[in-house]
Amino acid sequence: MTLGHKKGTTMPDTDRCPDCSRINEVLSRVGDRWSVLVVISLSRYGVQRFNALKKNLGISQRMLSLTLKQLERDGLISRTYHPTIPPKVEYALTPLGEEFRAPVTALGHWALDNLRAIDAARDVYDAALEEARE
Amino acid sequence: MTLGHKKGTTMPDTDRCPDCSRINEVLSRVGDRWSVLVVISLSRYGVQRFNALKKNLGISQRMLSLTLKQLERDGLISRTYHPTIPPKVEYALTPLGEEFRAPVTALGHWALDNLRAIDAARDVYDAALEEARE
DNA sequence: CGGTATCCTTACGGATACTG
DNA sequence: CAGTATCCGTAAGGATACCG
């Protein structure tokens, strides 16, 4: 697949983007906000325990639990249980998760770099709307 | 910010990742599945009309309309209205949208490349669960 | 500590019908 | 063609309480 834009390429609008549905499928699994943030956090700080992630991300216990389970099921993170008292569970990126780091951190960087630009664009847009209303 | 993982870095678990909330904020705007797919489609095929995008992505009219409006508001895409009969509206990436292309296509590529790996991981996980159930 | 279970509210998102 | 408006079912996600 070539995601890059080619000047001469015209969309055959009789057909639908064959890859979009597949990309959609994957994104619907590991592309949600919490999954992305968990991976970013594990990328940044390495192995982390349940409550560390929880505090770190400001995520509810319920959502973290669900997100971690899905990520483990999808093979992106590993869960290591230490049967001590009190118990200790550590989460880390698997090799597949490590591969996910590059695109996900790229996304994170872009988000941080362009937060202001987006806010500015919003202000302009909203102001123009306000203008038109009168 | 350094999203890259550094071996010695320990998460100060008294504090929460300051950037995570900001990344979260951005992702909650332009990180949803439809937004990502619209950007991917515009990246790939360039300028497109409303119905082309609709057929292309297999998205409902309502969601496309909402998604496009938000992306325009956030400054990622431009909307050009041609008052012909019938009317013609063209959507394209803005410079800010163009910058979004790199991380988003990286994500798209990864998604396509690892769809199978994820499916395989799932099968293993589910099989192990089945095993444990007995 | 690291979860599950339950409840409840909001947001997502499709289907359909209508408009300039 | 390119939307908007309405309805309605489902899923996301927080709050709380409880368990091993």
Side-chain angles (χ1 to χ4, degrees):
Chain A
M1 170 190 183
T2 322
L3 284 172
H5 169 47
K6 288 175 189 148
K7 278 267 159 65
T9 313
T10 313
M11 179 63 200
D13 59 15
T14 50
D15 193 56
R16 20 152 66 222
C17 170
D19 298 315
C20 286
S21 61
R22 297 175 61 206
I23 293 176
N24 192 1
E25 223 183 298
V26 179
L27 291 184
S28 68
R29 304 181 191 187
V30 296
D32 65 283
R33 245 181 359 285
W34 291 131
S35 295
V36 168
L37 287 173
V38 165
V39 171
I40 285 179
S41 188
L42 290 178
S43 280
R44 233 187 135 178
Y45 303 109
V47 177
Q48 274 174 91
R49 301 177 62 175
F50 187 89
N51 277 322
L53 280 167
K54 185 168 174 300
K55 277 194 289 190
N56 188 359
L57 299 178
I59 184 179
S60 71
Q61 196 170 22
R62 182 183 126 88
M63 286 315 295
L64 179 57
S65 178
L66 289 174
T67 302
L68 289 172
K69 216 185 300 180
Q70 283 192 79
L71 286 174
E72 191 196 353
R73 183 173 180 233
D74 287 336
L76 295 185
I77 66 173
S78 63
R79 194 191 104 113
T80 313
Y81 176 72
H82 302 279
T84 54
I85 296 181
K88 176 176 173 183
V89 181
E90 293 183 317
Y91 292 93
L93 293 180
T94 61
L96 184 59
E98 288 288 339
E99 284 185 44
F100 194 40
R101 270 179 64 182
V104 129
T105 54
L107 199 71
H109 275 131
W110 183 89
L112 285 177
D113 292 345
N114 293 281
L115 181 64
R116 289 181 170 283
I118 290 177
D119 279 336
R122 286 200 160 194
D123 290 344
V124 170
Y125 185 93
D126 292 346
L129 256 191
E130 214 41 46
E131 194 79 8
R133 193 166 315 216
E134 294 157 15
Chain B
M1 168 191 186
T2 323
L3 283 172
H5 169 47
K6 288 174 188 148
K7 280 267 157 66
T9 313
T10 314
M11 180 63 199
D13 59 15
T14 52
D15 192 53
R16 18 146 74 218
C17 169
D19 299 316
C20 286
S21 63
R22 299 175 59 207
I23 294 177
N24 191 3
E25 225 183 298
V26 178
L27 291 183
S28 68
R29 305 180 190 190
V30 298
D32 65 282
R33 240 172 13 274
W34 290 131
S35 295
V36 169
L37 287 173
V38 165
V39 171
I40 285 179
S41 188
L42 289 178
S43 280
R44 239 187 130 176
Y45 303 109
V47 178
Q48 276 173 90
R49 301 176 62 175
F50 186 89
N51 277 321
L53 281 168
K54 184 168 173 301
K55 275 194 288 188
N56 189 359
L57 299 178
I59 185 180
S60 72
Q61 196 169 23
R62 180 184 130 87
M63 287 314 295
L64 180 57
S65 178
L66 291 173
T67 302
L68 289 172
K69 218 185 297 178
Q70 284 193 77
L71 286 174
E72 192 196 354
R73 184 172 179 232
D74 288 333
L76 295 184
I77 66 172
S78 65
R79 193 191 103 114
T80 313
Y81 176 74
H82 303 277
T84 54
I85 297 181
K88 174 176 173 180
V89 181
E90 292 182 318
Y91 292 93
L93 292 180
T94 62
L96 185 57
E98 289 288 340
E99 284 184 44
F100 193 42
R101 269 179 65 183
V104 130
T105 54
L107 202 70
H109 274 131
W110 183 90
L112 286 178
D113 291 346
N114 294 279
L115 182 64
R116 289 180 170 282
I118 290 178
D119 279 336
R122 287 200 161 193
D123 289 345
V124 170
Y125 185 93
D126 292 347
L129 256 190
E130 212 45 44
E131 195 78 9
R133 193 166 313 215
E134 296 157 14

